[in-house]
Amino acid sequence: MRLDDTILYAVGSLRKRKLRSWLTIIGIIIGITTIVSIVSIGDGLRKDIQDQLDQFGSNQMFVIPVNIESGGLASYVGTPTGRSSSGKLYERDAENIEGIPGVVSVSKAVYGRANVEFKGKEITATIYGMDSNIFDIWEEMYYPVKGRVYSDNEKRVVYLGNDAANLMFGKNKVDVGNKMEINNEEYRVVGIMKKIGSSMSQSDDSAIYIPFDQGVEVFGSELAKGEVSMILIQIDEGYNAEELKESVEYELMKSHKVSEDDKDFSVITAEYMNEIIGSILDIVSTFLLLIAMIASVVSAIGITNTMFMSVMEKVKEIGVLKAVGASDWDLQMIFLIESGTMGLIGGLIGILLGYGVAYVVSTFGIVTYVSLQLTVFALLFAVGVGIAAGVFPARRAAKLSPIEAFRY
Amino acid sequence: MSKKENPVIELRDVQKCFGMGDCVFTALKDADLKVFDNDFIAVVGPSGSGKSTLLNMMGLLDEPTGGEIIIDGIKTAHMNSDQRARVRRERIGFVFQTFNLIQTLSSVENVEVPMMIAGLSREKRRKKATKILEDLGLGDKLDNLPSQLSGGQRQRVAIARALANDPEVILADEPTGNLDSQTGKDVLDIFKKLHKEEGRTLVIITHDEYVARVAEKRLRIKDGVLHDGE
Ligand SMILES: Nc1ncnc2c1ncn2[C@@H]1O[C@H](COP(=O)(O)OP(=O)(O)O)[C@@H](O)[C@H]1O
Ligand SMILES: [Mg+2]
């Protein structure tokens, strides 16, 4: 049989059995859409975390009052206020660090939850009291779309995350120059940040920033005298972050009077962050791979099932074709093209729908990412599984004698 | 030419049993048969006597469990499935009791199938299929699906398909079995004409004495045993 005739025959037979063909294709679409949307959510999560990591430059590090290595991270992350039970950092720690050669600047932060009221609507929000030099260090992230950032000596001023300004107070949008109350004290809005937009930084988009001294005023009752929640360090380009980290640790151990083994703080560099988050990412990746595999197996079973039904309906036709002289190769090619075509159509539509689902999911604030690899994989999977699921039963049917096939 | 001397189909001691592995039931016992060019043979026997089994052996549609089937002087015992398919495609035309048309294809497309498998170009096979169908009086039914045809018309399409690759022999298994007597007669007239006017070699299998009478030579089969005779 000639190849062009084989193709025409296969495609013609799909078109002549429209209902069955579409049922089979829908089976494939469901499978592929499932794979693409699930994996896109996982990949989105990974990419989002990676993007966050990349934002953190190699000439920055920060200190938190918890020892990550001794397993304190979970309890630290678990508390929204960032109050550590294991240790504390102080303003004088920041001053000490500033004296270390290679440190360009140090910024202190206190943060916690506080009541915020705007035009009669009262909410609880995360408030950061931060030294203004942080806005220089992460200039790109903290860039104002409206107004400006504050400076350290200003009183009762607030710089708002984009969601904090536009979403958190319902239909009332906050504008530069507006007044709002934090713990019943009136503050003036000086600027609004551009939207960061990634899910991990949601807290940043909805965060409210005030000068460090104001933060101390707001959270004073919760903090020990001179206590800070976090210290951010900007280092000189010429210095090695890992070496400087050791100097910082040495300085802090000395003033906290603790040994290497019972440190009550962690100094986190980009490299260190990559290390911890990288290991988390590995777990996430393995988990996602597992989910993708389960989704693939489930959809492969679905595809195989519909394809099998579709072939079974044609056993008699296979018998007729054999009786009038079709070779096993002819029959295999016909079914290869039929099932491959259905796999291709189902795969393409499934991928498009998968993109659609990924987009819809992303409008709920979950980052999704349909990579080229995923697209290619999904297409190959659809065609591959489609062909395998179509050709194997067809081969079995073709092994029957025409007489046996007629009986179906 | 040696072709004229050899029987078109020769069966030597052909046996066919059914059953998994061992011979549980012998449907055809030591059948010897020669079909020569230009023969018109009827094989008559009651239902269950092994007629279809015999025809399936002659047409290489099923494999014997013993004996030899020789087509045009070529032994078929060691042929693989594709070689057997090729013999069917090039040398044998089949007509079945239940027509066995492909339901999704029109009359003309059904007739084209054997030619398509043989690799004939689209124009050539469309032309030839149309011609055969017209000769059989179906010129106005070319584009009908089998479901849009009467039983007699379907069987004529099936006959047209059997003729498509100019086979050396046409094997028909109860070709009138599913037809009323008038359409059955029409179909038999076609066979007679094919034999008389075109010199076709035909083997018809039937349980019906009336059908058998159109043939020139009759064989009888009972309980899987083939006899000569009227
Ligand atoms: N695949 C099969 N398995 C078992 N027995 C069969 C099979 N095919 C035919 N037979 C038996 O072989 C005998 C002959 O069948 P068949 O050749 O179809 O008879 P006929 O065509 O003369 O009616 C019958 O008894 C039938 O039951
Ligand atoms: Mg029969």
Side-chain angles (χ1 to χ4, degrees):
Chain A
M1 205 166 155
R2 288 163 31 163
L3 184 63
D4 56 340
D5 283 330
T6 311
I7 293 170
L8 284 178
Y9 187 88
V11 173
S13 112
L14 289 179
R15 292 176 54 183
K16 278 163 182 159
R17 310 162 110 252
K18 278 204 179 66
L19 183 63
R20 168 46 78 191
S21 304
W22 277 114
L23 285 176
T24 310
I25 289 171
I26 287 168
I28 297 170
I29 292 174
I30 292 172
I32 298 305
T33 305
T34 310
I35 293 178
V36 171
S37 40
I38 287 179
V39 175
S40 77
I41 293 171
D43 281 353
L45 178 65
R46 267 173 59 96
K47 196 170 144 56
D48 192 34
I49 295 173
Q50 195 61 54
D51 287 351
Q52 295 297 309
L53 275 182
D54 294 346
Q55 274 195 3
F56 192 72
S58 61
N59 54 346
Q60 285 139 13
M61 57 177 85
F62 60 94
V63 189
I64 53 173
V66 67
N67 188 338
I68 292 181
E69 267 142 30
S70 67
L73 185 62
S75 68
Y76 178 69
V77 170
T79 54
T81 54
R83 302 283 175 268
S84 166
S85 50
S86 64
K88 288 186 191 331
L89 293 169
Y90 295 95
E91 288 184 46
R92 66 162 188 280
D93 288 332
E95 282 156 25
N96 288 342
I97 292 168
E98 209 158 10
I100 297 171
V103 172
V104 175
S105 69
V106 171
S107 19
K108 312 175 292 296
V110 289
Y111 50 84
R113 307 279 287 173
N115 285 332
V116 184
E117 194 190 319
F118 177 67
K119 291 195 175 161
K121 187 171 162 68
E122 192 172 330
I123 59 164
T124 307
T126 304
I127 312 277
Y128 291 80
M130 295 203 312
D131 282 334
S132 66
N133 58 0
I134 192 101
F135 301 128
D136 302 330
I137 298 174
W138 271 304
E139 193 183 359
E140 205 179 312
M141 186 157 96
Y142 287 111
Y143 195 80
V145 276
K146 259 188 182 166
R148 57 173 177 85
V149 302
Y150 55 72
S151 54
D152 286 330
N153 49 22
E154 281 184 287
K155 296 239 174 293
R156 300 283 147 84
V157 285
V158 57
Y159 184 53
L160 289 176
N162 201 290
D163 287 351
N166 291 312
L167 298 174
M168 280 189 346
F169 296 97
K171 54 185 194 309
N172 290 328
K173 294 197 193 317
V174 187
D175 207 347
V176 172
N178 286 164
K179 304 273 163 102
M180 56 173 41
E181 283 183 10
I182 298 174
N183 279 1
N184 298 321
E185 298 284 352
E186 197 175 80
Y187 282 70
R188 180 169 50 90
V189 178
V190 296
I192 294 163
M193 244 168 89
K194 78 163 191 217
K195 198 168 172 71
I196 299 169
S198 76
S199 62
M200 239 182 98
S201 304
Q202 203 93 93
S203 57
D204 295 312
D205 270 335
S206 57
I208 294 174
Y209 303 91
I210 55 180
F212 179 79
D213 290 343
Q214 300 289 299
V216 171
E217 213 178 296
V218 172
F219 299 114
S221 60
E222 300 169 31
L223 298 167
K225 186 156 171 35
E227 184 186 348
V228 299
S229 311
M230 187 197 273
I231 299 170
L232 289 115
I233 304 163
Q234 174 85 350
I235 66 174
D236 198 324
E237 297 283 356
Y239 283 77
N240 177 301
E242 294 309 305
E243 280 168 17
L244 251 177
K245 174 184 170 174
E246 279 183 24
S247 313
V248 171
E249 283 183 335
Y250 176 76
E251 191 62 48
L252 288 175
M253 283 184 328
K254 202 170 64 182
S255 64
H256 287 201
K257 300 191 174 64
V258 290
S259 70
E260 177 82 44
D261 294 328
D262 48 26
K263 276 189 294 191
D264 54 357
F265 61 89
S266 301
V267 178
I268 296 169
T269 58
E271 194 180 311
Y272 188 52
M273 198 144 86
N274 261 313
E275 214 171 276
I276 341 173
I277 300 195
S279 65
I280 296 172
L281 270 184
D282 284 347
I283 297 170
V284 171
S285 301
T286 311
F287 177 68
L288 290 172
L289 192 71
L290 203 71
I291 288 181
M293 274 165 61
I294 292 170
S296 303
V297 167
V298 169
S299 61
I301 291 171
I303 294 170
T304 307
N305 190 39
T306 43
M307 200 62 98
F308 181 77
M309 305 275 287
S310 156
V311 172
M312 274 345 228
E313 286 178 6
K314 307 184 79 168
V315 173
K316 196 173 164 170
E317 180 175 334
I318 292 174
V320 174
L321 291 170
K322 280 202 93 171
V324 299
S327 66
D328 292 356
W329 172 256
D330 292 336
L331 291 168
Q332 268 173 45
M333 285 306 284
I334 289 172
F335 281 91
L336 184 115
I337 293 165
E338 266 191 39
S339 48
T341 305
M342 288 195 280
L344 189 67
I345 296 173
L348 287 173
I349 298 176
I351 288 168
L352 284 181
L353 285 182
Y355 270 93
V357 171
Y359 174 76
V360 171
V361 167
S362 72
T363 63
F364 291 104
I366 297 167
V367 177
T368 56
Y369 175 61
V370 186
S371 64
L372 183 65
Q373 288 99 307
L374 174 58
T375 309
V376 171
F377 167 79
L379 197 61
L380 291 181
F381 185 84
V383 175
V385 174
I387 286 177
V391 167
F392 281 111
R395 259 173 84 142
R396 261 199 11 221
K399 287 233 160 62
L400 298 172
S401 77
I403 295 305
E404 288 166 321
F406 284 163
R407 275 199 266 272
Y408 277 81
Chain B
M1 270 199 16
S2 67
K3 204 174 163 183
K4 288 283 168 209
E5 295 151 22
N6 283 323
V8 180
I9 299 176
E10 182 178 356
L11 268 56
R12 286 187 199 156
D13 284 338
V14 170
Q15 185 212 45
K16 176 69 180 179
C17 348
F18 292 106
M20 282 292 162
D22 43 22
C23 211
V24 176
F25 179 81
T26 309
L28 192 63
K29 291 167 192 149
D30 303 330
D32 284 299
L33 170 72
K34 281 181 180 154
V35 180
F36 288 95
D37 196 26
N38 229 352
D39 272 355
F40 187 177
I41 300 174
V43 180
V44 204
S47 175
S49 57
K51 302 184 297 294
S52 295
T53 307
L54 173 69
L55 180 125
N56 297 341
M57 295 298 117
M58 295 169 73
L60 305 187
L61 289 175
D62 207 356
E63 290 185 60
T65 46
E68 254 184 318
I69 301 163
I70 299 154
I71 311 268
D72 274 327
I74 306 160
K75 293 183 179 177
T76 61
H78 301 294
M79 286 186 171
N80 64 27
S81 142
D82 284 351
Q83 290 167 319
R84 294 154 63 84
R86 179 171 185 169
V87 172
R88 290 195 295 269
R89 172 167 80 233
E90 292 175 353
R91 300 173 197 269
I92 303 169
F94 293 97
V95 178
F96 300 99
Q97 178 173 356
T98 52
F99 322 129
N100 287 338
L101 297 173
I102 294 172
Q103 297 302 318
T104 51
L105 299 183
S106 69
S107 307
V108 71
E109 287 168 338
N110 263 291
V111 178
E112 279 184 59
V113 167
M115 299 187 266
M116 172 185 78
I117 292 168
L120 222 65
S121 78
R122 241 162 288 155
E123 308 79 66
K124 275 193 189 142
R125 63 184 196 240
R126 176 58 53 105
K127 219 170 120 186
K128 189 166 175 190
T130 306
K131 168 91 168 60
I132 301 172
L133 283 167
E134 278 167 352
D135 288 350
L136 294 177
L138 289 171
D140 56 340
K141 304 286 182 203
L142 295 179
D143 296 323
N144 289 38
L145 292 174
S147 58
Q148 299 163 329
L149 296 172
S150 71
Q153 290 167 336
R154 283 181 218 185
Q155 197 58 301
R156 277 186 278 162
V157 174
I159 293 170
R161 181 180 63 189
L163 293 168
N165 283 340
D166 290 313
E168 284 156 28
V169 58
I170 291 172
L171 304 178
D173 187 350
E174 306 264 15
T176 61
N178 273 21
L179 305 175
D180 63 58
S181 58
Q182 186 50 50
T183 27
K185 265 181 206 156
D186 295 343
V187 164
L188 289 177
D189 285 341
I190 292 171
F191 282 115
K192 273 196 265 186
K193 209 174 116 190
L194 288 174
H195 178 64
K196 279 230 175 58
E197 294 177 11
E198 298 181 22
R200 302 270 183 185
T201 310
L202 300 167
V203 178
I204 292 188
I205 271 172
T206 181
H207 68 277
D208 186 342
E209 288 296 337
Y210 173 83
V211 174
R213 241 174 282 151
V214 303
E216 287 175 347
K217 187 176 161 197
R218 271 158 294 279
L219 299 173
R220 304 213 165 256
I221 186 167
K222 196 165 182 266
D223 297 330
V225 183
L226 196 60
H227 313 273
D228 273 351
E230 289 306 304

